[in-house]
Amino acid sequence: MTVIFDGIASGMLLFLISVGLSVTLGLMNFVNLAHGAFAMLGGYVCVTLLNRAGVPFLASLPVAALATALVGVVLERTLYRRLYAATHLDQVLFSIGLVFMSIAGAHYFFGAQQQPMVLPQFLQGQINLPGLDIGIYRLFLVVLSLAIAYGLNRLVRGTRFGAQLRAAVDNPRAARGIGINVERIFTLTFALGTALAGLGGALGVEMLGLDPSFPVKYIVYFLIVVAVGGSGNIMGSLVASLILGVVDVAGKYYVPQIGAFVIYAVMVVMLIVRPQGLFGRRAAR
Amino acid sequence: MQATLALDLAPIARADRWRPAELAFWLIPVAAYFIFPENLVLLTQIAITALFCLSLDLILGYAGIVSLGHAAFFGLGAYAAGLLAAHGWGDPLIGLAVAAVVTAVLGYVTSFLVLRGADLTRLMVTLGVSMMLYEIANKLTDITGGVDGLQGMEVLPVLGQFEFDLYGKTAYWYAVAVLFVLFWIARKLVHSPFGLSLKGIRLNAGRMPALGAPVNGRLSTVYTIGAAYAGIAGALLAQTTQFVALDVLAFNRSAELLLILVLGGSGSLYGALLGTIVFMSAHHLLSDLNPQYWQFWLGALLVVIVLFARDGVMGGLRRFGARLGRIQQ
């Protein structure tokens, strides 16, 4: 039971970090391999506030998200915007370039070592039930991700902004024709995606660690979630994260000899069976 | 009542002919040997990476298959040749042949996975396959040495004649010779009807079946060939350094290779070679300063290329050539 709960919690963390990517890649159709770099930025902002400025953990989370979103908006305005119409290969190359730069930058400013982080008292400890140990921080992650998943799904499916966004992605010309400010929608959406990346990165420091190799180390996991979940589908990402989290934790627990092999194998098999992802709609392009 | 099909095949035949500039290009490795006798190890690395890049050019530049995991084949080839040499079959050419066969088999099998789905799925599947191989090599420490790398290789003289020496002379000529032979074959291949059909598929996969070209069959074939080329490149690295490190399979290697190809310009074979020369030389000169800074500039270079110089060094040369042509008229 504990394995399953840990799997769910780890899946939820995966979801928290990846959901920003299912916004930029899934909704906006931009292969943004630099997502991990934004998550890393959020992590560093959070850790710096916590350790050097003594800001409380819960207060540093929104700051991390906002700071990351700010950087995201600047990059979107200057660079990303030019590549919306480019091929996926160009987007891949461009974002790998950003990843390399972010790794070197993190190394320059923070050094190669892992960043320490101490959670506040009320998030430490465990709840012990018969046959089940629940870490409080993990429970916190689960609740938070469910709330975010619900909120995002409402935003995309049920609001005017969501409708405008879907229109802008599917057919920018027609969307412009009916008076939607496509550029503004894209900037806002990108800001949302990077804010979520920053938030996820800050929340993930405790369980994933934080050092300059972060963007490369975990990019595969983020991509798996989006690719398996299906493009442009928040709930798909949630389900995919859950499956992958449970499979990954169970794999590492029961067959530690083969380690991370399981998660890659699951991804490849899933993509062979359903190339568009579990809940994928036909790609817009 | 004679139906004649007037097809002008002359341009195709002309494209297959070697031009003087190409012949001159192949004097570069000969000249480099005499100009930089102290840097033969680096030059050998350049030749090997050029071959690796050539293999990516075949599948990406000609057939348009995007891959984020091409290092899978490079690494598998390196381990195949390395394990062979470590267990007493040290003949280099047999090592290359075995590496080619093993990687071709993996390439053929995985090509069917790659054919499914669009770009994003392809990226993920190629990435996934290479990560799986990385994990396997990492965990099978008894066989591969894990993170410590594969040691204890004994590579016999090439053709029973030329022993690998301390200065790397044999290794250099060996790598250049293999590169040249495989380049020559690749050149034949892309100028053949097969190669032309690949270009057609890249430009419009939907229309090629109307010309009678089996799209999936062609893509699968070229993916297999590209895999074998990458495997041979990996085997060359293993044999010339007599060591295989786990990083032959790493994601960074696949990503860097994409950069090199784009830097040189994809879809022209020579772009792969030029890109490698430029990249490896710059790497050599700059990484002495500070490896971390180098990575920063590498990333910046990638961003600039994508935004402003999408057709790479070859594109620049072509534009330059076109301008020269106008001036002469």
Side-chain angles (χ1 to χ4, degrees):
Chain A
M1 276 303 277
T2 307
V3 174
I4 293 182
F5 178 76
D6 280 357
I8 292 174
S10 132
M12 286 305 186
L13 178 63
L14 204 55
F15 171 75
L16 277 175
I17 303 193
S18 318
V19 69
L21 187 63
S22 53
V23 171
T24 48
L25 192 159
L27 287 173
M28 297 170 71
N29 204 7
F30 193 106
V31 185
N32 183 19
L33 295 194
H35 185 74
F38 289 111
M40 177 173 74
L41 179 65
Y44 274 117
V45 170
C46 175
V47 166
T48 309
L49 286 176
L50 213 60
N51 294 349
R52 299 205 187 149
V55 178
F57 181 66
L58 290 185
S60 65
L61 289 178
V63 180
L66 280 179
T68 315
L70 202 64
V71 174
V73 166
V74 171
L75 284 176
E76 198 271 344
R77 289 262 152 171
T78 50
L79 301 174
Y80 273 87
R81 155 168 305 183
R82 300 153 174 261
L83 291 169
Y84 283 139
T87 62
H88 280 157
L89 177 64
D90 281 357
Q91 297 173 347
V92 164
L93 290 164
F94 165 77
S95 49
I96 288 181
L98 288 186
V99 166
F100 281 151
M101 290 166 77
S102 73
I103 292 176
H107 203 106
Y108 180 77
F109 287 110
F110 297 98
Q113 74 279 12
Q114 284 278 339
Q115 296 294 320
M117 186 168 102
V118 182
L119 287 174
Q121 203 68 46
F122 64 93
L123 285 174
Q124 292 176 3
Q126 284 188 335
I127 304 170
N128 297 310
L129 299 176
L132 175 64
D133 298 328
I134 300 176
I136 293 183
Y137 186 62
R138 295 181 181 210
L139 190 64
F140 171 70
L141 290 180
V142 171
V143 173
L144 194 58
S145 3
L146 287 176
I148 287 181
Y150 177 76
L152 269 182
N153 204 40
R154 286 288 306 160
L155 181 71
V156 175
R157 300 267 151 243
T159 63
R160 186 182 150 81
F161 175 78
Q164 289 186 335
L165 169 63
R166 280 176 285 141
V169 170
D170 281 345
N171 194 336
R173 263 187 72 176
R176 237 173 245 126
I178 56 170
I180 295 175
N181 188 340
V182 173
E183 277 70 32
R184 204 173 60 100
I185 296 276
F186 272 21
T187 306
L188 284 175
T189 312
F190 196 83
L192 177 67
T194 45
L196 288 168
L199 179 66
L203 287 166
V205 177
E206 164 71 11
M207 281 165 76
L208 302 178
L210 183 66
D211 64 73
S213 67
F214 185 91
V216 173
K217 216 188 307 180
Y218 294 107
I219 186 62
V220 183
Y221 283 70
F222 313 148
L223 282 169
I224 291 175
V225 169
V226 179
V228 169
S231 292
N233 192 315
I234 306 293
M235 284 305 153
S237 295
L238 185 67
V239 174
S241 312
L242 275 179
I243 295 174
L244 292 164
V246 173
V247 166
D248 193 36
V249 169
K252 281 177 178 156
Y253 186 78
Y254 291 113
V255 274
Q257 312 86 291
I258 53 175
F261 181 84
V262 179
I263 195 166
Y264 302 128
V266 168
M267 168 188 75
V268 170
V269 169
M270 276 185 169
L271 285 180
I272 294 163
V273 179
R274 287 197 59 100
Q276 305 298 343
L278 284 179
F279 300 90
R281 52 186 188 136
R282 203 176 49 78
R285 232 186 300 162
Chain B
M1 291 297 284
Q2 240 181 358
T4 49
L5 190 62
L7 259 183
D8 186 13
L9 290 173
I12 297 174
R14 260 204 307 279
D16 194 29
R17 214 174 294 149
W18 284 76
R19 274 163 301 178
E22 294 182 75
L23 295 174
F25 176 87
W26 285 98
L27 291 176
I28 294 177
V30 180
Y33 176 79
F34 293 104
I35 300 173
F36 306 106
E38 308 290 318
N39 290 42
L40 286 183
V41 174
L42 174 67
L43 292 176
T44 310
Q45 302 278 335
I46 293 181
I48 292 170
T49 311
L51 179 60
F52 186 27
C53 198
L54 191 67
S55 76
L56 184 66
D57 198 16
L58 281 177
I59 68 160
L60 174 62
Y62 283 89
I65 304 174
V66 287
S67 167
L68 255 188
H70 208 50
F73 303 115
F74 187 79
L76 184 66
Y79 275 111
L83 285 171
L84 217 57
H87 290 89
W89 288 283
D91 187 89
L93 292 183
I94 291 179
L96 291 191
V98 170
V101 171
V102 170
T103 48
V105 169
L106 180 71
Y108 183 70
V109 173
T110 51
S111 72
F112 295 101
L113 315 182
V114 171
L115 294 185
R116 290 184 63 94
D119 280 356
L120 179 63
T121 313
R122 277 182 185 168
L123 287 170
M124 294 310 300
V125 169
T126 49
L127 182 63
V129 169
S130 79
M131 298 304 283
M132 281 202 276
L133 278 186
Y134 183 91
E135 284 299 323
I136 294 173
N138 188 13
K139 296 291 177 183
L140 290 180
T141 41
D142 296 346
I143 303 172
T144 62
V147 284
D148 296 329
L150 178 69
Q151 285 157 352
M153 292 170 52
E154 273 183 50
V155 185
L156 299 178
V158 182
L159 300 171
Q161 294 273 337
F162 308 99
E163 204 159 330
F164 285 99
D165 54 304
L166 278 176
Y167 310 102
K169 288 179 186 168
T170 309
Y172 179 64
W173 288 119
Y174 174 52
V176 169
V178 173
L179 171 64
F180 180 75
V181 171
L182 289 179
F183 180 87
W184 186 75
I185 296 173
R187 199 180 173 286
K188 279 261 176 234
L189 195 72
V190 301
H191 289 129
S192 70
F194 173 77
L196 293 175
S197 70
L198 289 183
K199 285 187 197 172
I201 290 169
R202 192 191 65 212
L203 294 173
N204 193 332
R207 286 192 184 160
M208 284 311 279
L211 295 176
V215 172
N216 279 1
R218 292 285 152 88
L219 291 180
S220 164
T221 307
V222 75
Y223 196 74
T224 307
I225 296 172
Y229 267 55
I232 293 174
L236 276 179
L237 182 73
Q239 291 173 351
T240 53
T241 57
Q242 316 227 339
F243 177 72
V244 182
L246 192 56
D247 88 311
V248 288
L249 286 164
F251 168 73
N252 282 16
R253 197 175 280 270
S254 301
E256 215 170 76
L257 191 71
L258 268 178
L259 159 64
I260 297 177
L261 183 58
V262 171
L263 175 67
S266 66
S268 65
L269 297 188
Y270 281 101
L273 307 187
L274 285 172
T276 311
I277 295 173
V278 172
F279 178 87
M280 299 279 284
S281 312
H283 186 205
H284 179 69
L285 294 174
L286 292 175
S287 66
D288 285 347
L289 302 174
N290 180 323
Q292 290 304 325
Y293 291 143
W294 156 248
Q295 204 175 25
F296 182 85
W297 295 117
L298 183 73
L301 181 68
L302 205 42
V303 170
V304 170
I305 288 175
V306 173
L307 287 176
F308 301 110
R310 193 51 193 84
D311 46 1
V313 176
M314 277 306 280
L317 286 179
R318 226 175 267 137
R319 280 196 300 273
F320 183 68
R323 196 171 298 166
L324 276 187
R326 273 202 300 279
I327 291 168
Q328 278 168 4
Q329 286 164 8

